[in-house]
Amino acid sequence: MPAVFHFVAEGAVAHHTLTPDREVATEHTLSLEIAIVLFISYLLSLLFSLRTHKHLYSGGAVEHEHKPVQVGRAVLTLVLATAAVAWMSELLVGAVEETSHVLGWSEVFVGVIVVAVIGNAAEHSTAVMVAIKNHMDLALNIAIGSSIQIALFVAPVLVFASYFIGHGPMDLRFTAFEVLAVMAAVGVVNLVAQDGESNWLEGALLLAVYMVLGLAFFFLP
């Protein structure tokens, strides 16, 4: 929606019914309010999956073991793992930034393809391992849940944080190509998941779609 609004607002600026400064300020306000809506949606999704409808996410194939959970130990493990991931992410960003300059990669390609693949390597490997064990519901939850987290949690948090950074507020306006890529990805995933089955050819075609998008982002000026 911010991208569509920007397109409409550019027309208004061209017809002198809206000033450029007013357009930018409105886009920032729109992005902030949308970020609030997305963040609230994320909190509601957590309430849905962890409290009110958690039985829908239990996964019958992995319910045979019930071990007592030590909350303190689990929280400590989560905190340590988060700190380690944050440190490794900082190293990754520094290394990728220098590598992209040497190889001549664009920032868009690095952000959309390289960092996304390396940064989510743990989730990807976990999804593949559970898929090999024929727990496809869990594999899909991992893969799709990761995207939902980025859309409903990470993006809004970045918008909120941008108001406390010297470079100024960040908006959620993506380019037309990025919007089309997201729409294509959502459509393909929906088609693949509709029948509740998969095979090696569908997997190969999914990889082909990803490679096509990767090539397009690589050559994107």
Side-chain angles (χ1 to χ4, degrees):
M1 293 310 301
V4 174
F5 177 86
H6 177 76
F7 176 77
V8 175
E10 278 191 331
V13 171
H15 289 85
H16 305 290
T17 59
L18 184 68
T19 63
D21 292 340
R22 180 61 179 171
E23 176 197 358
V24 173
T26 304
E27 287 182 359
H28 288 157
T29 302
L30 175 65
S31 295
L32 177 61
E33 294 176 354
I34 290 178
I36 294 173
V37 173
L38 294 177
F39 191 75
I40 293 175
S41 300
Y42 178 73
L43 295 179
L44 292 176
S45 71
L46 291 180
L47 178 64
F48 182 86
S49 60
L50 298 179
R51 297 287 297 180
T52 62
H53 291 72
K54 62 181 179 181
H55 60 280
L56 299 178
Y57 299 85
S58 58
V62 293
E63 287 182 348
H64 57 279
E65 292 186 6
H66 294 278
K67 298 181 180 179
V69 178
Q70 298 179 357
V71 177
R73 182 178 180 181
V75 171
L76 178 61
T77 302
L78 180 61
V79 170
L80 293 177
T82 302
V85 169
W87 175 64
M88 294 184 66
S89 298
E90 189 67 25
L91 296 178
L92 170 65
V93 171
V96 167
E97 188 174 7
E98 294 182 5
T99 304
S100 63
H101 288 312
V102 173
L103 299 178
W105 294 346
S106 67
E107 292 183 354
V108 175
F109 175 75
V110 171
V112 173
I113 303 298
V114 179
V115 173
V117 171
I118 300 175
N120 293 325
E123 295 172 357
H124 296 162
S125 61
T126 302
V128 170
M129 286 189 293
V130 297
I132 291 175
K133 297 178 181 179
N134 203 30
H135 300 324
M136 291 306 298
D137 55 342
L138 181 57
L140 277 175
N141 282 335
I142 293 173
I144 298 176
S146 175
S147 300
I148 292 175
Q149 267 194 331
I150 296 297
L152 298 184
F153 177 72
V154 176
V157 168
L158 289 176
V159 173
F160 300 152
S162 67
Y163 280 82
F164 302 96
I165 299 176
H167 295 291
M170 162 188 164
D171 58 46
L172 292 175
R173 177 172 61 86
F174 297 95
T175 65
F177 185 81
E178 291 166 345
V179 173
L180 289 175
V182 171
M183 292 176 61
V186 171
V188 169
V189 170
N190 184 53
L191 289 174
V192 169
Q194 271 186 349
D195 57 0
E197 298 179 354
S198 183
N199 51 61
W200 67 265
L201 180 58
E202 284 187 346
L205 293 176
L206 285 173
L207 291 174
V209 171
Y210 191 79
M211 291 177 65
V212 168
L213 291 175
L215 290 170
F217 276 106
F218 179 79
F219 290 106
L220 186 68

